């Protein structure tokens, strides 16, 4: 079992508390370059420093490519902190945080990536063909090439940070402490969604958008528990954010980029928000369940998490875990 992996490392409750604090502080330190760059630009232009407290103003001060890089830098620093915390505070290998398999299954990573990428391209293409007046073609080779380099490097680090924090570190930590699977699934999904409250999409759509964010957290969490590893969620999350940053932007999104298209339509706050959660996500789960032969949904999502029996072999420094 994926959550049981944590029992093979140091898993006292205080380690997860200290580890979470270290990871949080590291990610905040990683955001300092963005704040410094924006503050310097505002002061140079003679603007009001207090205005940068508004996220919309903060994101519009610098060139969008530079803003994207500096914004994603905090996630890269946070991911490094997760690695160090897991490696040295918990004495756990990164593979054990990633999956219950002996090694990371990159085929699963690329399958999750491809599934959402192909779906997004098809849906966006159909919408562009049906409603061309809703889009502006803004492709500019040089800014787009710079965006592509930044996005290909930094966005997988950003999404990996979120996955390793929520579907990895906290999922395992809460699971071994609560001794069940449903509580870490609920907590990590709700907290994951709540952390998106500061996104500009919330101002545009209202609180109904939280159905999408929290629903996405549940979707990624279910995927991780059913597949006994994070590979699918790592690929899916990276594909979703990367193709969005490169393909379509809008004035009301958190990623304001030099993408190929700009959506100028007025988004609806009803069906379009909940459709991915209640239509697309179940279809994706069924596709994955068929491909990877998922069984026993009740046990994998709501079952108990029991510590493996450790049998110390005579004259052997290692122990054998019986699950």
């Amino acid at each position: 079992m994926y959550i049981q992996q944590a029992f093979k490392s140091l898993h006292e409750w205080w380690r997860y508390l200290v580890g979470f604090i270290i990871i949080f502080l590291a990610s905040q330190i990683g955001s300092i370059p963005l704040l410094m760059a924006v503050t310097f630009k505002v002061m140079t232009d003679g603007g009001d420093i207090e205005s940068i407290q508004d996220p919309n103003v903060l994101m519009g001060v610098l060139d969008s490519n530079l803003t994207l890089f500096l914004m994603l830098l905090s996630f890269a620093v946070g991911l490094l902190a997760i690695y160090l915390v897991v490696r040295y505070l918990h004495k756990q290998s990164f593979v054990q945080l990633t999956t219950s398999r002996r090694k990371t299954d990159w085929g699963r990573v690329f399958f999750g990536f491809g599934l959402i990428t192909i779906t997004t391209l098809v849906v966006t293409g159909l919408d562009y063909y049906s409603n061309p007046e809703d889009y502006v073609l803004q492709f500019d080779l040089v800014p787009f090439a710079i965006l592509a380099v930044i996005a290909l490097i930094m966005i997988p680090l950003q999404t990996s940070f979120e996955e390793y924090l929520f579907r990895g570190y906290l999922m395992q930590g809460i699971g071994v402490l609560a001794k069940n699977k449903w509580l870490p699934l609920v907590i990590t999904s709700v907290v994951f969604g709540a952390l998106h409250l500061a996104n500009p999409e919330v101002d545009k759509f209202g609180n109904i958008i939280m159905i999408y964010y929290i629903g996405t957290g549940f979707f990624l969490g279910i995927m991780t528990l059913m597949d006994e590893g994070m590979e699918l969620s790592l690929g899916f999350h990276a594909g979703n954010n990367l193709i969005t940053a490169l393909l379509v932007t809008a004035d009301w999104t958190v990623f304001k980029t030099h993408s190929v298209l700009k959506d100028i339509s007025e988004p609806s706050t009803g069906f379009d928000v909940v459709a991915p959660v209640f239509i697309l996500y179940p279809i994706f789960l069924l596709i994955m369940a068929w491909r990877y032969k998922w069984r026993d949904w009740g046990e994998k999502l709501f079952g108990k998490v029991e510590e493996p029996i450790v049998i110390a072999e005579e004259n052997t420094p290692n122990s054998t875990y019986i699950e």
Side-chain angles (χ1 to χ4, degrees), residues 253-265:
T253 62
V254 67
F255 283 168
K256 298 180 180 66
T257 65
H258 293 288
S259 58
V260 176
L261 299 171
K262 182 176 181 179
D263 186 347
I264 58 173
S265 65

Side-chain angles (χ1 to χ4, degrees), residues 268-293:
S268 62
T269 58
F271 179 77
D272 291 346
V273 173
V274 300
V277 176
F278 297 109
I279 297 178
L280 280 181
Y281 288 172
I283 293 174
F284 289 152
L285 288 175
L286 289 175
I287 292 173
M288 293 175 185
W290 169 77
R291 179 176 176 83
Y292 296 109
K293 297 178 173 56

Side-chain angles (χ1 to χ4, degrees), residues 43-261:
M43 292 178 63
T44 302
D45 295 343
D48 182 8
I49 296 298
E50 295 183 358
S51 66
I52 65 175
Q53 296 178 2
D54 183 344
N56 292 322
V57 174
L58 181 66
M59 294 296 104
V61 172
L62 305 174
D63 171 75
S64 65
N65 280 336
L66 179 58
T67 300
L68 180 66
F69 173 78
L70 293 175
M71 181 175 65
L72 297 180
L73 184 61
S74 64
F75 296 96
V77 175
L79 182 60
L80 175 61
I82 292 176
Y83 174 81
L84 294 176
V85 164
V86 169
R87 179 70 178 83
Y88 296 104
L89 183 61
H90 294 274
K91 307 296 183 182
Q92 183 183 28
S93 72
F94 219 54
V95 172
Q96 289 179 343
L97 184 65
T98 305
T99 182
S100 61
R101 288 165 275 275
R102 292 186 180 274
K103 60 181 180 179
T104 302
D105 186 343
W106 288 99
R108 280 173 154 86
V109 175
F110 290 119
F111 180 80
F113 184 94
L115 182 62
I116 185 59
T117 298
I118 293 172
T119 302
T120 302
L121 288 173
V122 170
V123 171
T124 303
L126 291 174
D127 192 48
Y128 179 76
Y129 179 79
S130 302
N131 305 288
E133 69 279 1
D134 290 343
Y135 296 90
V136 171
L137 181 64
Q138 62 169 18
F139 179 75
D140 191 346
L141 179 59
V142 174
F144 178 81
I146 297 172
L147 166 66
V149 172
I150 294 173
L152 287 170
I153 296 173
M154 300 300 292
I155 287 182
L157 297 179
Q158 174 248 325
T159 55
S160 294
F161 167 76
E162 294 184 357
E163 290 308 304
Y164 275 107
L165 178 60
F166 290 101
R167 260 63 65 179
Y169 190 70
L170 294 179
M171 181 78 80
Q172 286 189 349
I174 297 171
V176 298
L177 295 175
K179 300 294 192 299
N180 63 54
K181 300 174 184 178
W182 66 267
L183 188 61
L185 174 61
V186 171
I187 292 177
T188 57
S189 301
V190 172
V191 175
F192 172 79
L195 288 181
H196 291 79
L197 275 169
N199 283 17
E201 290 90 338
V202 178
D203 292 333
K204 186 67 176 181
F205 289 97
N207 290 333
I208 192 174
I209 192 67
M210 297 310 296
I211 295 176
Y212 170 76
Y213 287 129
I214 295 175
T216 300
F218 273 102
F219 168 65
L220 295 169
I222 291 171
M223 192 189 306
T224 298
L225 291 177
M226 289 303 304
D227 202 50
E228 301 290 3
M230 289 172 48
E231 292 98 332
L232 289 171
S233 67
L234 282 168
F236 188 96
H237 200 164
N240 179 76
N241 286 24
L242 182 61
I243 196 65
T244 299
L246 294 176
L247 185 60
V248 183
T249 190
D251 290 334
W252 40 266
T253 62
V254 67
F255 283 168
K256 298 180 180 66
T257 65
H258 293 288
S259 58
V260 176
L261 299 171

